[in-house]
Amino acid sequence: MDYRKSAAGVLEQIGGKDNIVSAAHCATRLRLVIADNNKCNKQALEEVEGVKGVFEASGQLQIIFGTGVVNKVYDEFIALSGAAAASKEDVKAAAARKGNPFQRFIKTLGDIFVPIIPAIVASGFLMGIMESLNFLINNGYIGMSNENTLFVLANLFSNTAYVFLPVLIGFSAGKVFGGNPFLGGVIGMIMIHPNLQNAWTMTGGVENYLDVFGLWQVPMVGYQGHVISVIIAVFVMCQIEKFLHKHVPAMFDLFVTPLVSVFVTGFLTLTIIGPVFNLVETSIINGIQTLISLPFGIGSLVMGALYAPTVVTGIHHMYTIIDLGQIQEFGCTYWLPLASAANIAQGAAALAVALKTRDQKLKAMALPSSLSAFMGITEPAIFGVNMRFFRPFICACIGGGCGAMFASITELGATGTGVTGIFGILLCLNAPVKYILMFLIAAGVSFVLTWMFGYKNEKLANGAPAPETAPVEKVTVTAKDSNPVVLAPLTGKAVTLAETGDETFAAEVLGKGYAIDPTEGKAFAPCAGTVSTLMGHAIGLECDNGLEILIHIGIDTVQLDGKHYQPHVTEGQHVQAGDLLMEFDIAAINKAGYKTVTPVIVTNSEDYGDISGKLGKIKANDTFITVTK
């Protein structure tokens, strides 16, 4: 591969050196911030030698080259462009500054809600299970008692994240706004204090009002299930806290700043912020519900069709507010099934392209992207396949609208949020048949339209149809290496790449493999070989058995710049299977807001046939992945 030629190709297709704001790279991707996105030709970028995929995330243009390649292309790119090498944090900061106020607002909402989604999902799943069990018990389908120990405890656990939602949001918002997250949690606690009337259990109206200096009265009611007012309150608290840190003498800061920040914010929250933004939030939720409840599902048809375009713009991060608001107002969210229909439709469109195309590179990208979308992660399908040809994207929007219309007509609701696609049915166990029908409608319409109108195979220059199979470079593998084995580099739970939550790994852009959610912070060599790449969070190996392995410890942990990681090898060093490669602090990485689930990728998997792996509990040095020729 000519690295300089690849770098020159990237530089040309992004609009030249004058369009570069910042440049960095991680173990697999060239990460760029460019001044004018309109000067970037993404389709041509994908054709540059060595490029395995192109997508935008967090204001960055990320160009996937893979381990052992990206660093060499990056060096040539810096030399050609004259750009100064930047750290990942520099690029991240540049990307954040580049966005307009609305984009920064949406990103802020995403930063607040993404970390707490697992808690919301867990409660939502359990609520759906408990509602289904109650239905089965009350109608005599099963003989279980709803007073046994497990049932009572599970019922208690099921709504915990929603009962204390303001605390979770307060903590997360405090961290995002640059304040003390624990003080943010305290503001959330104030808003659901037991001395306030519980908003979920009040039946006879407001019991008590607070007279504010004789000027106005506010209801002494808690903010269970509310979102916007909590975010605004914590934002105000963080501004007060930062102001006090600057102006209060250091010897008094520890006592004065937390006290004044919490007291002033608490007062403003219960007297002004809470009542005002409670009204705003209720109006928004009711307005959206009115729209999606229009006769014959017309409103939901429109919203289901427009959902995917909002994913493209990043606006979808704000929809968690709608889900949580509807759950608080109606006991379930009617919005999540619309989102699920839209995601399923994008997956079906990508599947139609994968089955119809004769381009093997496209097929290899479209099939896993389709599966990823069916699991609820749509970025690979949208950006890698459907938007690339545009018509599949439009067909998928129509399919998503049809599925959403059916969901609206049948009043399909979900008990929680955070999960769509195949596993979204676990949030709709109160009406599983409706969810399955919605799934089939969205997928069916999208698939058929894409097959018929959305994608046509390109023709060669002489007018002949493209060949069914593209020539594949032959790789010689010795008999002893005909079925190479990859040992588990970590101890923990083995999962699929789709469960990592990272669209690039889930789409198998870098190659096939599996992942391990570690329970011990030690990574060992999965085979004998040479360390080809060593970064703070990732290790690349060229194994003696012919495999090329990437061990990427954590998701998006490139942002840590090696903090909490301790390597025990160097680039170019030859290691034996079982040698200690790296130690890392799981608790510290998690506390920093990152998952330590570790993809283990066979980056040259296209040279081989089937790749299978063990799932479930696994110990380091156990047989993990088997590769067949």
Side-chain angles (χ1 to χ4, degrees):
M1 176 177 170
D2 189 333
Y3 303 114
R4 193 171 186 84
K5 181 180 178 182
S6 296
V10 170
L11 185 60
E12 178 184 358
Q13 301 308 332
I14 65 170
K17 61 182 180 181
D18 293 335
N19 201 32
I20 301 171
V21 175
S22 187
H25 77 93
C26 61
T28 60
R29 312 169 197 181
L30 184 63
R31 295 167 175 260
L32 307 176
V33 177
I34 58 179
D36 186 354
N37 289 337
N38 294 324
K39 294 181 180 180
C40 177
N41 188 337
K42 292 182 185 177
Q43 186 171 353
L45 260 180
E46 292 176 345
E47 301 304 322
V48 172
E49 183 183 6
V51 173
K52 297 182 177 181
V54 178
F55 67 97
E56 286 187 79
S58 303
Q60 301 175 24
L61 179 67
Q62 301 189 13
I63 307 169
I64 304 167
F65 281 98
T67 55
V69 176
V70 65
N71 52 319
K72 296 174 183 177
V73 173
Y74 174 75
D75 290 340
E76 296 291 350
F77 182 84
I78 293 298
L80 288 171
S81 65
S87 70
K88 273 73 68 177
E89 284 300 323
D90 292 336
V91 172
K92 187 176 179 181
R97 291 192 298 270
K98 183 172 174 281
N100 59 44
F102 181 70
Q103 289 173 325
R104 294 198 294 270
F105 169 72
I106 296 301
K107 182 182 181 301
T108 298
L109 291 181
D111 291 342
I112 292 172
F113 286 111
V114 167
I116 66 176
I117 280 179
I120 297 169
V121 168
S123 280
F125 277 171
L126 197 51
M127 286 171 67
I129 292 170
M130 298 312 296
E131 285 189 14
S132 301
L133 287 176
N134 268 318
F135 174 81
L136 295 174
I137 291 171
N138 294 336
N139 289 275
Y141 293 115
I142 58 176
M144 179 188 296
S145 170
N146 55 12
E147 296 181 359
N148 69 58
T149 303
L150 285 178
F151 191 96
V152 170
L153 290 178
N155 206 40
L156 173 68
F157 303 156
S158 64
N159 67 346
T160 301
Y162 293 96
V163 170
F164 297 101
L165 182 62
V167 180
L168 296 177
I169 294 175
F171 183 91
S172 185
K175 188 174 181 181
V176 169
F177 292 135
N180 186 320
F182 295 97
L183 295 183
V186 170
I187 296 301
M189 294 175 193
I190 288 174
M191 298 181 75
I192 56 170
H193 196 284
N195 286 352
L196 298 174
Q197 189 178 354
N198 192 310
W200 283 344
T201 59
M202 55 186 289
T203 56
V206 178
E207 296 175 356
N208 296 304
Y209 286 86
L210 175 67
D211 185 78
V212 183
F213 304 129
L215 300 176
W216 71 91
Q217 291 186 325
V218 293
M220 293 294 285
V221 178
Y223 293 85
Q224 286 80 5
H226 284 278
V227 174
I228 296 177
S229 52
V230 184
I231 294 174
I232 299 298
V234 176
F235 174 78
V236 170
M237 184 215 76
C238 290
Q239 305 315 304
I240 295 173
E241 182 190 3
K242 285 187 278 189
F243 175 84
L244 292 174
H245 278 312
K246 289 181 179 179
H247 294 85
V248 174
M251 62 183 299
F252 301 116
D253 184 60
L254 177 63
F255 309 101
V256 173
T257 299
L259 171 64
V260 175
S261 298
V262 170
F263 182 81
V264 172
T265 305
F267 175 81
L268 294 175
T269 297
L270 294 185
T271 58
I272 301 175
I273 296 173
V276 170
F277 284 96
N278 182 21
L279 180 62
V280 171
E281 184 174 350
T282 301
S283 299
I284 292 173
I285 298 303
N286 289 336
I288 291 171
Q289 185 61 23
T290 300
L291 174 63
I292 64 178
S293 299
L294 290 174
F296 311 110
I298 299 300
S300 294
L301 171 67
V302 173
M303 296 311 301
L306 293 179
Y307 183 87
T310 66
V311 173
V312 174
T313 61
I315 297 175
H316 64 298
H317 288 302
M318 67 182 295
Y319 293 151
T320 304
I321 293 178
I322 299 175
D323 283 326
L324 296 176
Q326 289 206 328
I327 290 171
Q328 190 273 334
E329 188 77 16
F330 310 116
C332 63
T333 168
Y334 299 100
W335 182 266
L336 184 123
L338 274 62
S340 196
N343 291 346
I344 290 163
Q346 293 295 329
L351 179 61
V353 172
L355 296 180
K356 192 173 183 180
T357 185
R358 297 187 181 100
D359 183 333
Q360 295 303 303
K361 183 179 179 180
L362 175 59
K363 187 184 293 287
M365 176 181 288
L367 273 174
S369 296
S370 171
L371 175 61
S372 174
F374 285 138
M375 298 292 185
I377 303 170
T378 57
E379 283 83 355
I382 290 177
F383 295 110
V385 181
N386 298 341
M387 282 290 289
R388 179 178 174 183
F389 301 101
F390 192 66
R391 284 185 296 180
F393 181 74
I394 297 300
C395 294
C397 289
I398 296 172
C402 292
M405 181 171 66
F406 173 82
S408 178
I409 291 173
T410 58
E411 297 184 349
L412 176 62
T415 57
T417 185
V419 178
T420 61
I422 293 173
F423 295 114
I425 194 172
L426 297 176
L427 298 175
C428 299
L429 292 176
N430 54 332
V433 175
K434 293 180 183 178
Y435 191 89
I436 292 171
L437 291 174
M438 177 275 291
F439 190 113
L440 294 176
I441 291 170
V445 172
S446 176
F447 185 92
V448 170
L449 288 177
T450 303
W451 187 275
M452 294 178 63
F453 311 109
Y455 178 78
K456 292 182 180 180
N457 281 301
E458 299 294 332
K459 293 188 176 182
L460 300 178
N462 60 8
E468 287 290 342
T469 58
V472 179
E473 181 183 355
K474 299 294 183 181
V475 177
T476 302
V477 182
T478 61
K480 66 183 180 70
D481 291 334
S482 59
N483 291 309
V485 171
V486 179
L487 303 181
L490 304 159
T491 295
K493 180 183 178 183
V495 297
T496 64
L497 292 179
E499 295 174 79
T500 63
D502 184 281
E503 60 269 21
T504 301
F505 292 119
E508 298 181 345
V509 173
L510 296 168
K512 297 180 180 179
Y514 291 83
I516 297 176
D517 194 357
T519 55
E520 296 180 6
K522 292 183 178 181
F524 301 91
C527 56
T530 302
V531 179
S532 59
T533 301
L534 181 63
M535 298 194 71
H537 63 296
I539 307 157
L541 293 172
E542 293 181 357
C543 300
D544 294 346
N545 59 18
L547 298 178
E548 296 175 6
I549 304 297
L550 168 65
I551 305 169
H552 195 286
I553 304 173
I555 301 301
D556 207 28
T557 44
V558 61
Q559 309 295 350
L560 293 173
D561 279 329
K563 189 177 180 181
H564 310 310
Y565 292 86
Q566 178 60 53
H568 288 275
V569 292
T570 58
E571 281 191 16
Q573 179 179 339
H574 190 274
V575 296
Q576 298 297 324
D579 285 354
L580 179 62
L581 299 177
M582 183 176 287
E583 290 185 277
F584 54 98
D585 190 332
I586 296 176
I589 294 170
N590 290 338
K591 186 177 180 181
Y594 300 94
K595 297 191 296 182
T596 52
V597 60
T598 300
V600 181
I601 308 296
V602 181
T603 57
N604 62 336
S605 54
E606 69 275 7
D607 296 340
Y608 296 88
D610 183 51
I611 292 182
S612 59
K614 176 183 177 182
L615 297 177
K617 289 185 178 179
I618 196 167
K619 292 184 177 180
N621 301 317
D622 284 354
T623 298
F624 180 34
I625 298 174
T626 301
V627 181
T628 57
K629 181 62 177 169

